[in-house]
Amino acid sequence: MGDLLYETWRSVRAHVFRFVLTSAGIAWGAFMLTFLSAQMADTDVQIRRELEELGEKTVYMGAGVVLKNRVGERSSRSVELEQDDLRRVASVAAVERATPNIEIWGQIVRAAGRTKVLNVVGVNEKAASVRNIQAERGRFVSALDVERSARVAFLGPEAASRLFGHAAPIGRVVQIGSVGFRIIGIARAKGEQLINTGDRDNLMVFVPYTAAQRWLTRGEAINEMIFSPVVREHGEATIESVRQVLAPHHGFDPSSDTALWFGNMWETLKVLFAMMMAMRVFLYGAGLVTLMVGAVGVMNIMFVVVGERTHEIGLRKAVGARSKDVFRQFLAEAVVVSTVASIVGGTAGIGMVQVVMAVQRAQGKFAGDVVIDPLTIGVLLFALAGVAVIAGVLPARSAARVPPSEALRA
């Protein structure tokens, strides 16, 4: 084995410029495979992380209209969700938890001598779990706050910063319109959310929905709810169960898709995941094709090397070398060249991912760690085996079949 490695090193060093040029295709293919797949894996991690920030199991529901048969929208009747509907939705076995989502847009909020236009949302104590809201300081809205219609507010971190700067806001009062609300907590910052872009939750002011109805909307209507299915993948079945429960109370057919509207975030994300998988398969294909093209280039060079070293092959056989010894030597040369080129390309790909992520961090964008998943490693190893076979086996077989007499005569 030591002699084989030494002879391989001597041969590669003697033709180093030629091998470097021909193995560039393999290096480029390995670079594409590692860099692009790592970027896609990083994007996949980002989407899954943003899913958790938005709420791992989130279904939005709102009131629609009931259409009369063969009449259409001319005599449609609006559906009005009420407080009892929240209890009905929460009673569905497939629903884990539910919260009102009374969104009041563009409210004038004043505090500490500053006036800002922010969005206010009325929720109950379950909203923290449904929307994955965590308190950085203080606490979230409680069930007692909801029961008492307490005028308390829980601020997103960006909303708190705009109103109070670096001052401590907990315990102070904000004026929402003309009504004062005492601040009880500040949320932990979220990143960019897939659906709610622009750090929307970070800019929100959360209040008990009963207080929002009493002091801000001055009505009992609930225009929107959010609930979490027990099993995320069963969101559509859970939606059908909710329709069945609410239909008798609002006089619409459970099969009607206009009486209530639903937005299942998991269904949207499944489409994104499918698109990402298709993109990853395409990138794997492009990388593999590039690797194979590079392998063909190395194979052609190996054929040229075999022709140039015909006399050497004959001499080796004349002094006792077996055909399999010649086969091993030329196969080892091709494998070494292909492996080194792949390692160089793969290392360059990982290094480029690090550079891109460093730039993203400097720009304040999401950037995780370099992700080389098992699938990419498996594809790369499979590709390397294929490259070694294409680049080395045929030339090595050709060299092993050279007759000693013809080689010496040449």
Side-chain angles (χ1 to χ4, degrees):
M1 179 60 70
D3 292 339
L4 177 62
L5 293 176
Y6 178 71
E7 291 298 327
T8 300
W9 163 247
R10 286 185 59 190
S11 177
V12 172
R13 188 175 62 178
H15 305 87
V16 61
F17 186 68
R18 178 185 294 171
F19 280 127
V20 167
L21 292 180
T22 55
S23 62
I26 296 178
W28 178 248
F31 173 84
M32 287 183 58
L33 202 58
T34 53
F35 173 70
L36 296 178
S37 63
Q39 282 288 87
M40 290 300 299
D42 179 65
T43 303
D44 184 70
V45 170
Q46 177 184 1
I47 288 179
R48 293 183 184 277
R49 183 175 299 179
E50 297 303 323
L51 168 62
E52 294 177 357
E53 288 183 346
L54 181 64
E56 186 178 359
K57 299 180 292 185
T58 306
V59 178
Y60 286 80
M61 181 188 79
V65 296
V66 178
L67 304 178
K68 289 187 177 180
N69 190 26
R70 292 187 294 273
V71 177
E73 296 184 4
R74 290 177 298 169
S75 58
S76 61
R77 172 175 59 85
S78 298
V79 174
E80 294 185 2
L81 296 176
E82 53 194 17
Q83 190 163 336
D84 286 342
D85 290 327
L86 179 64
R87 175 181 52 79
R88 294 170 185 137
V89 171
S91 69
V92 175
V95 173
E96 188 173 50
R97 53 181 66 91
T99 176
N101 195 56
I102 302 176
E103 296 183 336
I104 310 169
W105 303 103
Q107 290 293 294
I108 297 176
V109 182
R110 300 181 180 88
R114 301 178 182 181
T115 301
K116 303 294 179 182
V117 177
L118 300 172
N119 299 325
V120 179
V121 57
V123 296
N124 66 8
E125 72 282 0
K126 302 295 181 61
S129 299
V130 174
R131 299 181 62 151
N132 190 28
I133 300 170
Q134 301 177 16
E136 181 75 25
R137 288 170 287 170
R139 63 174 179 85
F140 192 68
V141 173
S142 68
L144 187 60
D145 294 330
V146 174
E147 181 182 349
R148 294 179 174 177
S149 302
R151 291 187 298 178
V152 294
F154 181 86
L155 303 184
E158 184 65 23
S161 176
R162 293 188 181 186
L163 289 170
F164 296 96
H166 298 291
I170 294 180
R172 303 180 68 173
V173 174
V174 295
Q175 294 286 333
I176 303 177
S178 58
V179 183
F181 286 76
R182 181 174 54 86
I183 300 172
I184 57 173
I186 306 298
R188 180 174 299 171
K190 293 185 178 183
E192 290 290 337
Q193 297 168 252
L194 288 175
I195 308 301
N196 300 334
T197 57
D199 293 344
R200 183 176 135 189
D201 279 2
N202 286 354
L203 284 166
M204 282 290 189
V205 178
F206 296 92
V207 300
Y209 80 93
T210 50
Q213 290 175 329
R214 180 176 180 180
W215 300 103
L216 302 178
T217 64
R218 302 189 185 277
E220 297 295 325
I222 299 176
N223 56 355
E224 190 175 285
M225 295 184 191
I226 306 177
F227 63 85
S228 298
V230 175
V231 180
R232 179 177 59 184
E233 289 74 12
H234 297 168
E236 293 302 310
T238 306
I239 288 173
E240 292 305 315
S241 299
V242 171
R243 287 186 194 273
Q244 294 285 345
V245 168
L246 295 183
H249 300 282
H250 293 280
F252 64 85
D253 192 318
S255 63
S256 171
D257 57 0
T258 62
L260 298 171
W261 61 262
F262 294 88
N264 187 355
M265 296 299 101
W266 176 242
E267 292 300 315
T268 302
L269 290 168
K270 282 200 302 184
V271 175
L272 292 177
F273 292 150
M275 293 173 60
M276 289 175 57
M277 179 55 67
M279 181 63 71
R280 184 175 291 190
V281 170
F282 171 77
L283 295 177
Y284 283 146
L288 289 174
V289 169
T290 306
L291 279 172
M292 294 309 168
V293 171
V296 171
V298 173
M299 179 183 66
N300 290 332
I301 290 300
M302 291 301 299
F303 274 122
V304 173
V305 170
V306 169
E308 292 179 349
R309 296 167 62 185
T310 302
H311 185 74
E312 175 191 336
I313 295 170
L315 185 60
R316 286 175 178 272
K317 286 192 171 183
V319 297
R322 297 167 295 179
S323 294
K324 65 179 182 180
D325 296 326
V326 177
F327 178 85
R328 286 177 190 169
Q329 180 181 344
F330 282 88
L331 180 61
E333 292 176 13
V335 169
V336 166
V337 170
S338 303
T339 303
V340 170
S342 299
I343 292 174
V344 170
T347 304
I350 295 175
M352 182 59 71
V353 173
Q354 293 279 21
V355 171
V356 171
M357 289 185 176
V359 173
Q360 290 179 342
R361 291 190 187 100
Q363 295 176 348
K365 298 180 180 179
F366 172 88
D369 297 324
V370 178
V371 179
I372 303 295
D373 57 0
L375 178 60
T376 300
I377 295 174
V379 171
L380 188 57
L381 292 177
F382 171 78
L384 289 178
V387 165
V389 170
I390 293 175
V393 170
L394 292 179
R397 186 180 179 186
S398 175
R401 288 183 174 182
V402 174
S405 58
E406 293 184 11
L408 292 174
R409 190 182 307 116

